[in-house]
Amino acid sequence: MTTAEQSPALAPLRQARERFLTGRPLPDGVPDDVVAAWRRARFFGVRPDLDGPVRESAQPADSPLLEAARPALARIVPALDAGRTALVLTDERLRVLWSTGSAPGDDTCADLSEREVGHNSAALALRTRRRAEVHGPEHFLDVWQDVSAVSVPLFSPETGQVLGTLTVARALWAGCRPHPGAALAEAAAAAVEAELRARARTAERALLDAYERAARGRERAVVALDGRNRLISEAAAGLASPQVLEALERGARARGRDTGESYDVPLPEDAGESYGAPESYDVPLPEDAGCTAEIAPVRHEGRVLGLVAVLAPRPVEPEPSAPGPGGALVGGSVAWRHAVARATELFRTAGPVLVTGERGTGKTALALELLDGTDPLVVDAAESPELGLKDGEWEVPSAGDRGRAHARPLLLRHAERLSQPDVAALNSLLEERPDARLIATHTPGTPPGPCLQRLLDTLAARSVTLPALRERPEDIRELLPALTPGPAPGSPPLTWTLDALRALEQHPWPGNVTELAHLVRALAGRRRVFGPVRRGELPDPVREGPAGRTLSPMELAERSAILEALRRHGGNKARTATALGIGRATLYRKLREYQGRDAPVGPRP
């Protein structure tokens, strides 16, 4: 018999958990937050019967929190009842950085996030930003049914952000709260935060030394930042705009979280030792910045704490001309030009981009055109719905990683075909890194599930919808040369009669540009005659056009009304459209649709 079974106070909760796991209705009185946590664990696919270590999470190679916590925790460990109590330190992602002592199930995993192990005190403390306790059957895992745990969040003394958690776990405590280890957890957290404050003061001194060395001896435009403090020389104040300083701040905060990876960019010759290791890296500045920046990291005790930037006026260069449209950008219609301009604008700013539209509208081609020169990583959910996003198999860089060797932007095709775990992982990634360098394509179809709908809602503000080819028939004449393969040596290029072009423009093209491309390649490959392509060479559905379908009674009535209005106004289409209460563009479209049907379209004599 377990301790949970021996505790009358926890027996109803234990029974409720068993009913939840077996899919039976829950009794009244179960706390809503506990039920919600169980449901999240089930959604994430956590197995309650976990009987071995879960997947090892990637621990940071250089953890400032662990470095600061070691001295404080070393002073506490001797007072710990190591045979009955465990003390665990995690980072802000609930990866276990350090642990000591012993408690039931304390060696089960190296990741305490709800996605891996379900409800626990560390995840609860991180979410609520205050001390949290979880006892016995409140846990989702079987192995923790005889465990009581209390966790305290650790806060940055400068920013107030949660840096991690400290947890004290011991055998099940069924008495009144607080947990017997609450005082120990609070004291340990206070000691760690005191060490963080002391180190912050030392780090500020290191940043000041780096700034003074970089600016010494001459009037240099120097900026030193660490995400909290900013030192600016007089020359830099007149050269750097607020947007440039904000970009450098973002770079300083991002590099403060890196793993110490170096970049092969030369430092100034007189950099001095307080720059740290002989390395430098780039931080993307705004396109309209009037200066360039030579940037070097400032290191302290083996970690990057900020950066020093030496600014210089940007050389005046002639404004580059806009590149001509590539094959994926062909088209002069208003709808197409608006969509391309919107996609280009979104891609130039930090954050993911969603390109949506019917199949064959050119979503992937447009995305590749935008990513040209970046060597993107292309993954296709239609080929393999299980992409491994949940397991971290693919790395999605952020805007701050631009220029780094491994920072290949990700092109995710057919987002609608992603498996639910990968969609959930992508949702979490975009919450943590809203500036992720990602382009996703999506083809609307069946109603999306709640998880995919959440992803679409997240990307709605940074999405662009490509128009269908039937909505821009005027672009077909521009598309044909781009889609036609080069002629064989000695052969003339493929041309089209006016009648064939009209048939192509009237076809609805359910497969959009992809269908048109297949038709053009097929014609170019099988033609044995010279001269322009005639209407009779086109496939039957294209050659016959809209006349191949019988009009419905409603369409017949509409056509009769249009013809009568044209007769009354002597064939003047502008006055006809006004009389019918429709736009002229709509009238022209209706006339094209009814051309060649049972009766002629035009004014009667």
Side-chain angles (χ1 to χ4, degrees):
M1 179 177 294
T2 67
T3 310
E5 293 172 333
Q6 296 172 355
S7 171
L10 294 175
L13 191 59
R14 179 180 61 81
Q15 295 171 359
R17 175 179 175 274
E18 292 176 354
R19 295 179 67 88
F20 176 84
L21 296 177
T22 55
R24 291 177 291 171
L26 298 179
D28 295 333
V30 182
D32 292 341
D33 56 339
V34 175
V35 176
W38 291 346
R39 288 174 176 164
R40 286 194 301 273
R42 183 171 59 187
F43 175 79
F44 292 141
V46 179
R47 292 182 51 188
D49 59 347
L50 182 70
D51 56 1
V54 300
R55 175 179 55 85
E56 290 288 337
S57 61
Q59 295 188 1
D62 182 15
S63 170
L65 174 61
L66 180 57
E67 292 177 7
R70 282 189 190 278
L73 296 178
R75 295 192 296 268
I76 295 173
V77 168
L80 189 69
D81 185 359
R84 301 177 55 190
T85 306
L87 182 62
V88 181
L89 172 72
T90 74
D91 65 5
E92 78 282 359
R93 292 170 56 184
L94 296 177
R95 296 173 296 184
V96 175
L97 301 176
W98 176 92
S99 64
T100 189
S102 177
D106 70 313
D107 59 348
T108 301
C109 63
D111 189 328
L112 298 184
S113 65
E114 283 193 337
R115 295 181 178 277
E116 297 293 344
V117 296
H119 190 42
N120 64 88
S121 62
L124 183 58
L126 186 69
R127 187 169 66 252
T128 61
R129 295 174 60 90
R130 61 175 182 268
R131 191 182 77 196
E133 299 182 18
V134 175
H135 300 272
E138 293 177 339
H139 292 99
F140 190 75
L141 294 186
D142 295 342
V143 73
W144 286 343
Q145 294 305 294
D146 293 338
V147 174
S148 283
V150 57
S151 297
V152 178
L154 297 169
F155 296 99
S156 166
E158 295 89 10
T159 65
Q161 295 179 336
V162 179
L163 300 178
T165 65
L166 264 174
T167 299
V168 175
R170 50 157 288 170
L172 186 61
W173 172 258
C176 298
R177 302 191 182 200
H179 186 282
L184 175 61
E186 295 278 11
V192 172
E193 290 177 352
E195 186 69 25
L196 287 170
R197 282 191 294 272
R199 287 172 175 254
R201 290 191 291 270
T202 306
E204 290 172 1
R205 182 67 234 181
L207 186 71
L208 178 60
D209 290 343
Y211 168 78
E212 291 177 344
R213 287 180 180 273
R216 184 178 58 190
R218 48 181 167 163
E219 291 296 327
R220 303 181 73 184
V222 177
V223 179
L225 318 98
D226 63 2
R228 301 175 300 275
N229 305 291
R230 181 186 293 179
L231 303 173
I232 308 175
S233 69
E234 184 176 350
L239 191 58
S241 66
Q243 292 75 20
V244 169
L245 294 177
E246 290 175 5
L248 293 173
E249 287 279 13
R250 289 194 297 271
R253 288 192 292 268
R255 302 310 173 188
R257 296 190 298 266
D258 72 4
T259 59
E261 183 175 351
S262 63
Y263 297 82
D264 188 15
V265 180
L267 289 173
E269 294 180 358
D270 58 347
E273 63 181 4
S274 69
Y275 271 89
E279 59 185 15
S280 178
Y281 43 57
D282 293 327
V283 172
L285 299 182
E287 293 183 0
D288 57 351
C291 63
T292 60
E294 189 172 11
I295 299 168
V298 178
R299 288 186 172 273
H300 175 65
E301 295 184 354
R303 69 181 180 92
V304 175
L305 61 88
L307 58 83
V308 170
V310 179
L311 307 182
R314 185 186 297 274
V316 179
E317 299 177 355
E319 189 71 21
S321 58
L329 306 183
V330 171
S333 63
V334 174
W336 180 249
R337 285 191 287 109
H338 174 76
V340 171
R342 165 74 173 166
T344 304
E345 177 186 4
L346 290 173
F347 182 73
R348 287 176 177 169
T349 58
V353 178
L354 176 67
V355 183
T356 185
E358 296 179 5
R359 62 185 178 88
T361 50
K363 301 183 291 295
T364 299
L366 176 59
L368 291 173
E369 192 79 21
L370 296 174
L371 292 166
D372 185 36
T374 62
D375 187 25
L377 176 64
V378 182
V379 294
D380 193 338
E383 297 177 359
S384 176
E386 295 285 348
L387 295 179
L389 288 171
K390 178 179 182 295
D391 300 324
E393 182 177 347
W394 304 108
E395 181 180 2
V396 183
S398 300
D401 297 328
R402 192 183 300 270
R404 297 175 66 168
H406 70 281
R408 300 170 62 191
L410 177 65
L411 170 56
L412 172 61
R413 300 185 61 206
H414 299 109
E416 71 279 2
R417 304 286 293 275
L418 279 174
S419 65
Q420 182 168 294
D422 279 341
V423 175
L426 195 55
N427 279 324
S428 299
L429 182 144
L430 294 179
E431 287 179 0
E432 297 173 1
R433 293 158 60 190
D435 61 340
R437 298 186 65 203
L438 162 72
I439 296 184
T441 68
H442 172 256
T443 303
T446 58
C451 205
L452 179 58
Q453 186 60 57
R454 178 185 165 197
L455 175 64
L456 298 178
D457 293 342
T458 300
L459 297 175
R462 295 186 55 81
S463 67
V464 57
T465 301
L466 301 189
L469 186 55
R470 64 180 174 277
E471 298 171 358
R472 54 183 189 113
E474 60 269 40
D475 289 343
I476 288 180
R477 301 193 186 196
E478 294 184 53
L479 285 167
L480 288 173
L483 299 176
T484 303
S491 300
L494 198 66
T495 57
W496 309 77
T497 65
L498 184 59
D499 196 29
L501 289 173
R502 287 174 178 168
L504 295 175
E505 291 171 347
Q506 292 171 359
H507 187 62
W509 298 109
N512 293 290
V513 179
T514 300
E515 182 183 357
L516 177 62
H518 285 308
L519 182 147
V520 172
R521 286 196 294 268
L523 280 173
R526 70 169 184 256
R527 288 196 88 214
R528 296 294 181 268
V529 296
F530 294 96
V533 176
R534 298 181 298 276
R535 184 174 187 141
E537 297 180 65
L538 300 177
D540 290 345
V542 181
R543 180 175 64 250
E544 294 172 0
R549 181 177 61 85
T550 304
L551 293 178
S552 67
M554 183 67 71
E555 290 172 323
L556 288 171
E558 182 183 62
R559 187 187 66 173
S560 298
I562 291 174
L563 294 178
E564 179 62 26
L566 279 171
R567 186 190 63 78
R568 288 199 310 269
H569 295 284
N572 188 303
K573 295 182 176 63
R575 290 200 298 267
T576 299
T578 302
L580 293 172
I582 61 177
R584 279 188 292 176
T586 302
L587 177 63
Y588 293 149
R589 178 172 58 81
K590 294 291 185 182
L591 293 174
R592 285 197 305 268
E593 291 176 356
Y594 297 142
Q595 185 71 37
R597 298 297 178 89
D598 298 338
V601 177
R604 294 177 183 174

